[in-house]
Amino acid sequence: MIRTKMQIVIVVIVIVFEGMLEANRQIQWPKTRNAIQKDEEWMKERSHESRAQINSVKRSNTNTPPSSVAFTYKIYDDTDEISVGDTVKFDTQIFDNTGSFDPSTGEFTAPSCGMYVFMLNIRSNQGKVCWIDIIKDGGERLATAFAQSSDKVHDGDSTFLTIYLKEGDKVWTKNHGYQGTVCTIDFDSSFAGFRLN
C-alpha cells in the first residue's frame, strides 16, 4: 500500500512538473519572440541610420575637397625607350587615395588647391642616360633627376619639390633628353606626391 501511494505521489509530481514546464514554455516563447522582434526592429533602425550617415558623408565629399591627397606609382617593368619630350608613365599603383593620378597619361591632377610635395626616383637601365623632369602645366620644369648608367652598373637619382597648386593643375614627368638621347628606366623607378594639410 505504501508502495502504491508512493507511485501515485511520483506520478502526480511528474504530472505537475510537466504542467509547470508547459506553462513555462507558453510564457517564455512569446517573450522570446517579442524580444527577437524588438532586436530585429532595433537593428533595422540602426541600419537605416548607418546608411543615412554613409550617404551624408558621400554627399558631403562631393562638395568638399578630400582632407588628404596622396599617391605613389612605380614602373611595373623596364620601360621601352622614352623619346625626348615624352611623358614617363608610371603604371603600377602602390597607393592613391583620391584617384588623382592617371597612369594611362602619367599625369597628376590636383583635386584641390594647396601645398604639394612631389618625389621622383629614377634608375636608368644599363648603358643609358636619363634626364627626367617634373613638369607643371605650361611646361614649367620644377625639378630634375639625372641618372647615367654604365654597361655593367645601374645608376639612380632622386629629387623632390614643394609647390602650391590650384585645383585642376597638372603635374607629370617627362624625358628631358640628355643631348637628345632616348632613355629607359627600370622597375625600381617611382613617382609620388601628397598635399600638405
Side-chain angles (χ1 to χ4, degrees):
M1 177 114 173
I2 292 179
R3 193 173 213 172
T4 319
K5 285 183 181 179
M6 187 67 117
Q7 288 173 337
I8 293 173
V9 169
I10 291 174
V11 169
V12 169
I13 290 174
V14 168
I15 291 171
V16 169
F17 184 72
E18 285 179 350
M20 288 172 55
L21 282 176
E22 184 57 34
N24 190 29
R25 277 190 208 115
Q26 289 177 359
I27 292 169
Q28 292 300 318
W29 279 108
K31 284 184 179 178
T32 304
R33 280 191 205 117
N34 287 339
I36 290 171
Q37 287 173 343
K38 285 181 183 177
D39 287 346
E40 288 173 349
E41 289 171 10
W42 183 85
M43 286 190 293
K44 284 180 186 176
E45 288 173 11
R46 299 294 90 68
S47 173
H48 290 303
E49 288 174 8
S50 295
R51 283 191 189 115
Q53 289 171 345
I54 290 168
N55 290 335
S56 172
V57 168
K58 284 181 181 176
R59 280 192 302 277
S60 68
N61 282 344
T62 59
N63 297 328
T64 58
S67 61
S68 67
V69 177
F71 74 91
T72 301
Y73 281 77
K74 67 182 283 291
I75 299 290
Y76 175 74
D77 201 0
D78 293 359
T79 65
D80 292 328
E81 290 187 341
I82 304 167
S83 297
V84 175
D86 281 357
T87 300
V88 180
K89 295 180 181 173
F90 294 88
D91 55 5
T92 303
Q93 177 180 324
I94 296 172
F95 180 80
D96 190 350
N97 69 333
T98 61
S100 299
F101 183 83
D102 183 349
S104 67
T105 63
E107 294 178 338
F108 169 80
T109 304
S112 58
C113 61
M115 291 299 296
Y116 286 83
V117 175
F118 293 96
M119 294 147 290
L120 172 64
N121 174 54
I122 64 166
R123 191 168 85 163
S124 61
N125 283 318
Q126 293 171 331
K128 296 291 182 180
V129 176
C130 287
W131 178 349
I132 305 294
D133 296 328
I134 299 176
I135 304 294
K136 181 182 174 283
D137 283 335
E140 179 185 355
R141 183 175 7 152
L142 304 174
T144 297
F146 183 86
Q148 182 174 6
S149 296
S150 70
D151 289 338
K152 297 182 181 180
V153 179
H154 288 279
D155 185 31
D157 191 20
S158 296
T159 188
F160 79 96
L161 68 108
T162 305
I163 186 169
Y164 180 84
L165 296 178
K166 295 179 293 193
E167 183 177 346
D169 280 351
K170 294 187 183 300
V171 174
W172 65 95
T173 60
K174 77 171 188 176
N175 178 16
H176 182 90
Y178 176 72
Q179 297 180 348
T181 60
V182 297
C183 76
T184 62
I185 56 177
D186 76 4
F187 60 89
D188 280 334
S189 301
S190 62
F191 183 45
F194 62 91
R195 189 183 70 207
L196 297 170
N197 289 334

